[in-house]
Amino acid sequence: NAGVTQTPKFQVLKTGQSMTLQCAQDMNHNSMYWYRQDPGMGLRLIYYSASEGTTDKGEVPNGYNVSRLNKREFSLRLESAAPSQTSVYFCASTLGGRAYYGYTFGSGTRLTVV
Amino acid sequence: TQLLEQSPQFLSIQEGENLTVYCNSSSVFSSLQWYRQEPGEGPVLLVTVVTGGEVKKLKRLTFQFGDARKDSSLHITAAQPGDTGLYLCAGSSNTGKLIFGQGTTLQVKP
């Protein structure tokens, strides 16, 4: 049982380049999330998908887009990377819309924009 | 805007000592969770507390939810080097999503 799988694990981009971070879960969870983690700032929500076919902005959505490809997969796209997007990105999923169920996180993508 | 403040941000102690980490807010949360994160990995859920005043124990870890559901604490008894990591509290907001505190980095020296 893999849980939440994120690819790639590491990435270096030049300013202005684009890339897509991939996330897939095999737990039949309905809701999926993208967070970024920066030192001293905890985890901040970028976008989320409460269920297949829906996506909504979180706390820090600027510069990002998402696609809920199907129930398993939720991708995050950076159209024109900026140094401020250097961070560790985590994908998470949960059974339902209520956070009570707890989130399962992937192991993260460490992104550096130079 | 609902916020969660964790304290302390950093804690370095000797093996065998006890410690408490606090998570405070001015807002009421429907539930509160604690996660532990190791370097290079994602956070892992430790516990969920739902009822005001609730206390849960997980081996040497004791979690408490405040009576008013605005605060929580994590107490570790006789800390071990394996407890080293980043501890995150997270509250279920009024929109149903999790709001995370900034985290407490714990280092337990042998």
Side-chain angles (χ1 to χ4, degrees), chain A residues 18-59:
Chain A
S18 62
M19 79 162 294
T20 299
L21 281 65
Q22 307 286 352
C23 174
Q25 53 90 10
D26 62 0
M27 298 168 288
N28 202 34
H29 283 175
N30 294 306
S31 303
M32 298 184 74
Y33 307 82
W34 277 105
Y35 285 88
R36 60 179 288 173
Q37 186 174 38
D38 302 291
M41 303 191 73
L43 287 155
R44 292 183 293 169
L45 182 64
I46 305 171
Y47 270 94
Y48 68 101
S49 172
S51 61
E52 186 179 357
T54 69
T55 59
D56 282 292
K57 295 178 181 179
E59 181 185 354

Side-chain angles (χ1 to χ4, degrees), chain A residues 9 35 37 40 42-43 45 48 90 97 99-100 102-103 105-107, chain B residues 33 35 37 40-43 48 50 86 92 96-98 100-102:
Chain A
K9 197 163 180 66
Y35 285 88
Q37 186 174 38
L43 287 155
L45 182 64
Y48 68 101
F90 288 99
Y100 170 80
Y103 287 13
F105 285 85
S107 57
Chain B
Q33 300 171 355
Y35 291 79
Q37 184 179 15
E41 297 296 328
T48 300
V50 179
L86 176 67
S92 180
K97 296 184 293 298
L98 276 186
F100 285 84
Q102 320 97 303

Side-chain angles (χ1 to χ4, degrees), chain B residues 48-60:
Chain B
T48 300
V49 285
V50 179
T51 306
E54 183 176 3
V55 177
K56 282 192 175 179
K57 292 192 175 184
L58 188 64
K59 296 183 180 178
R60 294 175 293 99

Side-chain angles (χ1 to χ4, degrees), chain B residues 59-74:
Chain B
K59 296 183 180 178
R60 294 175 293 99
L61 278 61
T62 302
F63 304 87
Q64 185 164 8
F65 201 12
D67 291 340
R69 291 187 287 128
K70 293 182 179 181
D71 56 86
S72 181
S73 64
L74 158 61

